[in-house]
Amino acid sequence: MRLYCSIQLILCLNLTILILTESAQPPFACDSSNPATKSYPFCNLTLPISTRVNDLVSRLTLDEKIPQLVNAAPAIPRLGIPAYEWWSEALHGVSNSGFGILLNGTIKSTTSFPQVILTAASFNARLWYRIGQAIGLEARAVYNQGQANGMTFWAPNINVFRDPRWGRGQETPGEDPLVGGIYAISYVRGVQGDIFEGGGLKDGHLQASACCKHFTAYDLDHWNGVGRFSFDAKVTKQDLADTYQPPFQRCIQNAQASGIMCAYNRVNGVPNCADKNLLTNIARKQWSFQG
């Protein structure tokens, strides 16, 4: 049941993004030139997305489900489902530094905005939203041009920047949890195609998918022989609630982000990506995360 639910959530987002546009060329699912796809309910645009997802998941074998749990999800040819790459980057502009975007065709470059720490220094939420809008629009253009294998972007980075020695601090909005949270709302709404005030998304259809990272208390890189993939962040419950969690709570509850990325590290001895309290009790149950 857990595997079924995990695959269901993944494919729900996949279908939300991929089937918005019909095309005779990859990377779109439900190819209109393939007669076989017309008989599948998950290709029926008149049905609710939840119904289509349930239909698709019910058709998958266990051997087909398991490989879908990695970032490079393989194609399912018998159902007309193309491969999907979940790793795309758009920290301050659509980038080919991940594996999902290919700037090797008609589109060879995209707009690169200032690093986030500089953009955040404007304290202008409307500007942050407009940058997110531009990034989401260019992402959709690259995808529609057939130069993308996915539309899930691992941005924004909303970790609290407490220590100036952290080399990736430039990727964040800074040290203030409130600013980080408001930045997350503005950026995510812009990328996903929502209106500035929120509430403009209809039926789960996204312009592109934003993913807030790294959840949570993740702000250390190579230091004294300690690496970001394994360090253990010792954080009090109060500091976690007051400092590290507010940006992610706003990203989920206010921005309705379609994705969050668990951090590589541990918090108080528990790996973030295996922390049921963090991912299930807090993100899903308390904050109602649906992505």
Side-chain angles (χ1 to χ4, degrees):
M1 178 59 70
R2 290 182 179 176
L3 177 60
Y4 181 92
C5 291
S6 297
I7 293 296
Q8 189 177 40
L9 289 169
I10 289 175
L11 290 177
C12 178
L13 177 57
N14 205 353
L15 275 170
T16 301
I17 297 170
L18 291 180
I19 310 178
L20 288 177
T21 309
E22 289 194 355
S23 172
Q25 62 178 345
F28 304 110
C30 294
D31 188 348
S32 59
S33 66
N34 182 357
T37 64
K38 295 181 180 180
S39 62
Y40 298 139
F42 68 81
C43 288
N44 187 342
L45 298 180
T46 65
L47 295 177
I49 288 178
S50 59
T51 300
R52 296 162 65 191
V53 170
N54 286 332
D55 175 71
L56 175 55
V57 173
S58 70
R59 296 173 186 273
L60 299 177
T61 67
L62 181 60
D63 287 341
E64 289 171 334
K65 291 176 181 178
I66 292 174
Q68 295 293 316
L69 296 176
V70 296
N71 65 280
I76 307 173
R78 69 182 184 86
L79 296 176
I81 302 298
Y84 190 86
E85 175 55 63
W86 293 86
W87 185 356
S88 294
E89 302 283 358
L91 179 68
H92 54 90
V94 178
S95 168
N96 61 353
S97 59
F99 295 112
I101 299 298
L102 308 171
L103 300 178
N104 58 357
T106 304
I107 300 175
K108 300 186 182 299
S109 62
T110 58
T111 305
S112 181
F113 295 94
Q115 271 284 18
V116 180
I117 194 74
L118 298 176
T119 300
S122 69
F123 295 99
N124 187 332
R126 180 72 69 168
L127 175 63
W128 303 338
Y129 171 75
R130 291 177 62 193
I131 289 175
Q133 268 189 316
I135 292 172
L137 185 63
E138 291 190 357
R140 175 58 63 177
V142 172
Y143 191 82
N144 287 349
Q145 189 62 31
Q147 292 180 222
N149 298 319
M151 280 285 283
T152 307
F153 294 90
W154 293 357
N157 182 342
I158 52 173
N159 291 125
V160 172
F161 184 23
R162 266 191 164 177
D163 191 330
R165 294 172 297 180
W166 181 34
R168 299 186 70 181
Q170 61 186 359
E171 298 181 4
T172 77
E175 64 182 351
D176 187 88
L178 177 62
V179 172
I182 295 175
Y183 178 84
I185 294 172
S186 301
Y187 177 94
V188 170
R189 285 178 178 172
V191 167
Q192 294 193 160
D194 203 350
I195 58 176
F196 177 73
E197 296 78 12
L201 293 177
K202 303 299 181 184
D203 303 321
H205 290 125
L206 308 176
Q207 176 173 249
S209 170
C211 175
C212 290
K213 64 182 185 183
H214 307 78
F215 188 47
T216 186
Y218 170 85
D219 58 355
L220 184 148
D221 218 325
H222 302 290
W223 174 80
N224 238 14
V226 179
R228 65 191 177 103
F229 297 116
S230 59
F231 82 94
D232 189 5
K234 303 296 185 181
V235 189
T236 65
K237 289 184 178 179
Q238 179 176 344
D239 202 16
L240 197 63
D242 289 349
T243 307
Y244 296 103
Q245 298 291 64
F248 290 98
Q249 183 173 2
R250 286 176 178 267
C251 179
I252 291 172
Q253 292 186 323
N254 299 93
Q256 299 292 304
S258 51
I260 55 173
M261 180 192 294
C262 52
Y264 302 108
N265 60 294
R266 291 169 287 161
V267 172
N268 299 324
V270 182
N272 280 309
C273 291
D275 191 337
K276 182 177 180 180
N277 182 59
L278 181 68
L279 302 178
T280 301
N281 295 337
I282 295 177
R284 293 200 182 282
K285 294 182 179 180
Q286 290 184 24
W287 299 346
S288 301
F289 176 61
Q290 300 296 320

